């Protein structure tokens, strides 16, 4: 279908909506808007900023401690003098800082892989929303043409009835069918309107009605299943995230083990003592210097529960990665089978089904106007014609959905929808 016809069609679909700004947009532009403006994707990107900040925080060293003490040894009554002490101390942990830096770096890489996987899923879901809106607009167009045909036929029957060529029952039947199809037309319009409205959710627009302009056709692609599976194993972002999760679990195990390492406190102190003027034990003023070390006794290391839990998490991450590999292989094979079946269905429609349905309808309509067939036969031919066209639109939509799903599962993306 010509893209300009589709623009007009979709504009008609939303003519009764209360929105102030309707924009005809092609698929490529729509996807660019999704990438740049989707609010959910923007929120997910902040995870990278958070991970970068946490990586920077992991580089921080332990802060030293400074203590100051003042002592009055009953100097006023016993003349024992006064003293001032200053001590600087710091805790040293062996290997903990470097392990935490490695963990924070791996978590940042994991968040990058998860963001890429989020975008791949977003791209697929936005594509399905776009082609769904296009499908509903085309289904509305089918109903619109059908209603116009039946309405004109009913008007013609009214004239023929007045001329005595047909019975009143036949004339009434035409108007009844037109009324029923009009109700279906109204529902089809509402469905198309809502689908067009939904597209703005994907692009972050709050005052725009997006009208899809591209068709439901895409160039037929021929894939090799073995190559698709290998490409998926090489390129899938969720598999990369699963592998990176194994690395994160290993780094967490390393941090847990480093937490059990020996740590110690070093302290350097200085004290000043005034003169002691007590007659029994006089003493001159003097300065003192102290150096000390404190080593905790790690009796808690006999409990290896935290280490065991971390080791189990590593094993769990490895199993999840292997499961992800199996699921990817399976999803690619299923998507390929679905795509291949729908490709053959589209080709079957393109080789004459639509043309035959139109020929039957035209023939029945011509015969009815000549009085050679009944109105019911015309209506039956119209329904068959509409069903064929609607099924064709559904098949095109399913074909594009299957293509998008296959490329998503294979870790590739080069979909080009025809204008």
């Amino acid at each position: 279908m010509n893209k300009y016809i589709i623009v007009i069609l979709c504009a008609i679909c939303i003519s009764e909506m209360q929105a102030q700004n309707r924009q005809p947009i092609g698929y490529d532009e729509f996807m660019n808007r999704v990438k740049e403006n989707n609010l959910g994707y923007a929120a997910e990107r902040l995870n990278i900023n958070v991970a970068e900040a946490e990586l920077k925080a992991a580089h921080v060293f332990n802060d030293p401690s400074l203590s100051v003490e003042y002592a009055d040894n009953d100097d006023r009554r016993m003349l024992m003098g006064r003293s001032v002490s200053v001590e600087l101390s710091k805790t040293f942990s062996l290997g903990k800082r470097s392990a935490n830096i490695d963990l924070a770096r791996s978590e940042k890489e994991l968040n990058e892989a998860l963001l890429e996987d989020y975008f791949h899923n977003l791209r697929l879901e936005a594509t399905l929303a776009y082609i769904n809106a296009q499908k509903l607009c085309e289904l509305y167009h089918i109903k619109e043409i059908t209603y116009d045909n039946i309405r004109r036929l009913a008007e013609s029957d009214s004239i023929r009835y007045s001329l005595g060529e047909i019975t009143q029952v036949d004339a009434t039947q035409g108007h009844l069918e037109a009324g029923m199809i009009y109700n279906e037309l109204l529902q089809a319009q509402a469905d198309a309107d809502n689908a067009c409205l939904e597209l703005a959710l994907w692009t972050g627009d709050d005052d725009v009605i997006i009208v899809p302009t591209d068709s439901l056709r895409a160039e037929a692609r021929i894939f090799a299943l073995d190559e698709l599976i290998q490409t998926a194993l090489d390129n899938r972002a969720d598999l990369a995230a699963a592998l990176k999760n194994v690395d994160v679990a290993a780094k967490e195990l390393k941090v847990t083990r480093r937490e059990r390492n020996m740590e110690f406190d070093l302290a350097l102190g200085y004290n000043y003592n005034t003169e002691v003027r007590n007659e029994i034990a006089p003493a001159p003023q003097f300065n003192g210097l102290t150096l000390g070390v404190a080593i905790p006794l790690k009796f808690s290391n006999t409990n290896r529960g935290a280490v065991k839990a971390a080791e189990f998490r590593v094993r769990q991450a490895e199993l999840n990665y292997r499961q992800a590999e199996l699921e990817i292989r399976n999803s690619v094979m299923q998507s390929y089978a679905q795509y291949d079946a729908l490709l053959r269905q589209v080709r079957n429609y393109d080789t004459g089904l639509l043309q035959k349905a139109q020929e039957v309808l035209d023939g029945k309509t011509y015969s009815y106007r000549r009085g050679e067939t009944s109105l019911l036969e015309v209506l039956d031919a119209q329904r068959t014609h509409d069903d064929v066209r609607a099924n064709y639109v559904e098949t095109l939509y399913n074909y594009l959905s299957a293509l998008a799903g296959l490329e998503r599962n294979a870790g590739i993306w080069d979909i080009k929808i025809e204008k």
Side-chain angles (χ1 to χ4, degrees), residues 26 48 57 101 132 138 152 159 184 192 238 264 277 305 331 359 411:
I48 304 300
I101 291 173
N132 180 62
E138 294 199 16
R152 287 188 285 107
I159 297 174
E184 295 176 1
D238 53 345
F264 57 91
R277 291 172 294 166
S331 66
E359 290 173 353

Side-chain angles (χ1 to χ4, degrees), residues 1 9 138-152 181 185 358 361 382 385-386 389:
M1 184 179 294
L9 163 64
E138 294 199 16
L139 290 175
Y140 169 82
H141 179 56
I142 294 173
K143 288 295 181 184
E144 187 181 41
I145 293 175
T146 300
Y147 172 68
D148 187 59
N149 290 339
I150 299 300
R151 180 184 57 81
R152 287 188 285 107
I181 294 174
L185 178 66
Q358 186 64 52
L361 176 59
Q382 181 70 60
H385 172 268
D386 293 349
R389 289 196 62 190

Side-chain angles (χ1 to χ4, degrees), residues 278-326:
N278 184 279
E279 294 180 355
I280 298 175
Q285 68 177 24
F286 65 93
N287 298 320
L289 186 66
T290 60
L291 178 64
V293 59
I295 302 176
L297 302 177
K298 289 278 191 175
F299 295 117
S300 60
N301 281 355
T302 57
N303 187 328
R304 292 180 51 83
V307 175
K308 287 293 185 182
E311 290 174 344
F312 287 135
R313 283 192 288 270
V314 172
R315 178 58 178 163
Q316 183 183 53
E318 292 172 346
L319 293 174
N320 286 336
Y321 174 74
R322 291 174 57 189
Q323 179 65 25
E325 280 188 321
L326 293 175

